[in-house]
Amino acid sequence: MIFAISAVKLKMPMIPRYTRKEMACIWEQEQKLRIWLDIEIAACEAWARLGKIPRGSLSAIKKRAGFDVARVEEIEKTTKHDVAAFVAAVAEKVGRDGRFIHMGLTSSDVLDTAFAIQLRSAADIIIEDIKILLVALRRLALRYKKTPMIGRTHGIHAEPITFGLKVLSWHQEMSRALERMVQAKKAVSFGKLSGVVGTYGNLPPAIEAYVCRKLGLKPDPISTQIVQRDRHAQYFLTLALLASSIERIAQEIRHLQRTEVLEAEEPFSRGQKGSSAMPHKRNPILSENICGLARLVRSYAIASMENIPLWHERDISHSSAERVIAPDATILADFMLNRLKEIIKDLQVYPNRMQENIAMTGGLIFSERVMLTLVERGMSRDEAYKIVQKAAMNTWMAIRAQTDARRGKELFLELLLKDRKVRTLIGREKLEECFFIKHSLSHVDMIFRRALKRNEG
């Protein structure tokens, strides 16, 4: 396939915008070579502005410049150098004026500037993905804002929360991921056309300034033969953090779908099979898939950090790694975000089951409020803790012995009231108030206002 590049106004980006479905397109060989050609032509324009390329020659370059992927690959078999092969293939099409192409440039001028454009385009898609996911999370959080469920620490029942609060915490984490992704995009949006060791020995800084401005990049303030890889490491570390946040949500959904919990469940479509052997199975395979992919994205962050220390002004040990991690990490991030969005959009939530689980321990989840009430009435914290813990442990024993859990609250109350100090300090009526769930959830509205205000601000 032949690509010819027409003239573009100076302040308009030459690289096309991508839709969400076109992440892979960014990393295709044809698209990469097209970006290289954009850079080479922009450099020729800059040289012409300085009077180093005749206007007629520039017109010929713009009119004839193009490439054939097969021809580039054929030449590379001889040159063993991708950029050299590309320049030769373009020059063939231009003819005599092709001698001006790549004038004063080194390969990394083209490679790193193109890489910045690719990473920036990928970031645009990922940023849009996160924004779409945030809408779905916000909607889910508000829908279940006041739906009580048990909060768990160490996997054990702790105190009541709401499902809306849980989802709101996911929303806020993804909001921070969005902020980090925007910063990562800025970090890599730097080009360089500064020559073989970054000293502009054979081309003036004006060439770099023109090309970067035309492509919507900033010139790297100081480069060697390459743009320093800490910029790119920040980008891949951001993707690793993003993947970990996605995994946190997916893992929680997996836990909530466990048979013993069953408070939420990922979508299960008509005709879907959970197991080849067991017809009853409804497995959280979408969430499990996300968790596995997160491991890959995190591993790419390690490779990106190891790309930072290179020999002197450059070597190419980073190049082979980036050819793998850049397309893989960005495509996976795009895929994971969209898969999670679909899970969240169609998530099955079971409030009745949440109520059953709250009642499972018969009021033990209100032990802290009982203890604090005793402290408020004058008992030492240590003594109050011991009294409440003793009653709680005896209640646990009864529950484990398969005593009717519905009697748990009654039993816990009875055991507490057996203590004379408890009866004297608070009495039955006040003690029963400690078991009202409204106390645990009285600040839900405030938390939502504060969190969403921060997000909207």
Side-chain angles (χ1 to χ4, degrees):
M1 185 179 296
I2 306 297
F3 289 88
I5 309 299
S6 59
V8 183
K9 293 181 180 179
L10 174 61
K11 294 187 178 181
M12 295 297 292
M14 298 176 73
I15 307 306
R17 306 288 288 181
Y18 297 93
T19 64
R20 177 180 61 77
K21 296 180 180 179
E22 294 175 320
M23 176 67 85
C25 173
I26 295 171
W27 305 105
E28 290 176 354
Q29 178 75 350
E30 294 168 338
Q31 176 59 22
K32 181 182 74 172
L33 297 183
R34 180 179 178 180
I35 298 171
W36 288 7
L37 190 55
D38 285 345
I39 295 167
E40 294 284 3
I41 291 176
C44 289
E45 290 176 350
W47 278 117
R49 287 163 66 93
L50 296 177
K52 298 296 185 180
I53 295 180
R55 287 292 173 181
S57 296
L58 178 62
S59 296
I61 290 170
K62 287 185 174 183
K63 181 179 179 180
R64 300 170 187 165
F67 61 86
D68 182 273
V69 174
R71 178 56 178 156
V72 173
E73 292 173 350
E74 181 183 2
I75 297 173
E76 188 176 351
K77 291 177 181 178
T78 299
T79 63
K80 305 296 190 292
H81 193 291
D82 53 356
V83 177
F86 171 75
V87 171
V90 174
E92 282 181 352
K93 293 194 174 295
V94 174
R96 175 175 171 77
D97 292 315
R99 69 188 188 277
F100 296 115
I101 295 172
H102 205 66
M103 188 166 66
L105 304 181
T106 188
S107 298
S108 291
D109 291 330
V110 177
L111 293 171
D112 280 9
T113 303
F115 196 35
I117 292 167
Q118 289 174 300
L119 290 175
R120 182 186 65 188
S121 298
D124 284 337
I125 295 175
I126 293 170
I127 287 169
E128 185 62 24
D129 289 339
I130 297 173
K131 289 179 178 178
I132 294 171
L133 176 59
L134 282 169
V135 171
L137 288 170
R138 188 179 191 275
R139 186 176 296 131
L140 187 65
L142 289 171
R143 183 185 309 159
Y144 294 102
K145 178 180 178 181
K146 296 294 182 69
T147 302
M149 70 180 298
I150 190 63
R152 298 171 173 89
T153 60
H154 304 273
I156 308 300
H157 286 204
E159 294 190 2
I161 60 172
T162 73
F163 186 61
L165 284 174
K166 184 183 290 289
V167 178
L168 183 64
S169 77
W170 302 345
H171 177 275
Q172 290 299 288
E173 188 162 349
M174 295 311 300
S175 295
R176 295 189 293 274
L178 177 61
E179 293 172 0
R180 286 191 292 264
M181 199 67 228
V182 170
Q183 290 301 315
K185 175 186 171 183
K186 292 179 181 178
V188 296
S189 294
F190 285 83
K192 67 87 61 182
L193 288 86
S194 56
V196 292
V197 288
T199 60
Y200 303 93
N202 292 299
L203 77 168
I207 304 296
E208 179 182 71
Y210 178 92
V211 174
C212 287
R213 186 165 65 250
K214 187 162 191 175
L215 298 176
L217 302 173
K218 293 181 180 179
D220 192 2
I222 178 170
S223 55
T224 56
Q225 192 162 328
I226 60 165
V227 173
Q228 282 77 54
R229 259 43 196 177
D230 63 293
R231 294 187 182 279
H232 307 83
Q234 178 181 342
Y235 188 97
F236 291 106
L237 283 164
T238 298
L239 292 182
L241 283 169
L242 172 62
S244 296
S245 294
I246 295 171
E247 183 183 13
R248 175 188 171 234
I249 299 171
Q251 180 171 268
E252 183 66 15
I253 292 171
R254 291 170 61 194
H255 280 308
L256 295 178
Q257 188 166 334
R258 289 164 51 216
T259 306
E260 296 82 2
V261 179
L262 203 56
E263 295 175 347
E265 190 176 26
E266 69 177 37
F268 193 85
S269 60
R270 182 181 296 273
Q272 182 175 338
K273 295 182 179 181
S275 167
S276 62
M278 297 172 284
H280 73 279
K281 295 282 282 182
R282 291 167 65 101
N283 301 326
I285 57 171
L286 302 178
S287 300
E288 289 173 339
N289 176 258
I290 287 174
C291 292
L293 295 178
R295 299 166 191 169
L296 286 176
V297 180
R298 283 193 293 270
S299 72
Y300 298 144
I302 296 173
S304 73
M305 289 186 287
E306 292 181 347
N307 281 345
I308 296 173
L310 302 176
W311 287 18
H312 304 298
E313 277 55 61
R314 77 162 299 207
D315 59 52
I316 63 166
S317 60
H318 63 289
S319 176
S320 54
E322 288 171 352
R323 290 170 191 247
V324 174
I325 69 175
D328 275 17
T330 53
I331 290 171
L332 285 176
D334 179 44
F335 175 83
M336 292 167 69
L337 284 164
N338 283 281
R339 169 153 287 187
L340 181 59
K341 180 202 69 177
E342 293 302 316
I343 294 173
I344 294 298
K345 185 174 61 119
D346 296 321
L347 188 69
Q348 303 299 301
V349 181
Y350 306 123
N352 289 340
R353 180 63 175 176
M354 292 175 180
Q355 287 286 358
E356 291 175 8
N357 287 339
I358 287 174
M360 183 182 294
T361 58
L364 290 180
I365 58 177
F366 301 106
S367 66
E368 183 185 17
R369 178 157 290 278
V370 175
M371 180 189 70
L372 292 177
T373 301
L374 289 170
V375 172
E376 289 171 2
R377 295 301 177 92
M379 187 178 289
S380 73
R381 182 183 180 88
D382 187 59
E383 184 179 7
Y385 192 102
K386 289 177 180 178
I387 290 172
V388 176
Q389 185 184 45
K390 180 179 178 180
M393 294 305 106
N394 287 332
T395 303
W396 268 122
M397 290 177 64
I399 293 173
R400 290 179 185 134
Q402 297 185 346
T403 300
D404 188 351
R406 289 173 296 180
R407 293 192 64 252
K409 176 182 175 183
E410 180 183 343
L411 178 60
F412 191 33
L413 274 167
E414 290 171 356
L415 291 173
L416 286 167
L417 288 170
K418 284 183 178 181
D419 189 283
R420 180 180 56 82
K421 293 181 179 179
V422 174
R423 293 195 305 273
T424 302
L425 288 175
I426 57 178
R428 176 177 291 273
E429 183 177 352
K430 184 66 176 178
L431 184 60
E432 288 180 345
E433 290 182 10
C434 295
F435 292 79
F436 294 166
I437 198 169
K438 66 179 182 180
H439 297 302
S440 301
L441 307 179
S442 59
H443 298 296
V444 171
D445 286 331
M446 180 277 295
I447 297 171
F448 265 78
R449 284 196 304 271
R450 183 174 62 187
L452 296 180
K453 181 179 179 181
R454 171 197 172 275
N455 182 247
E456 291 166 1

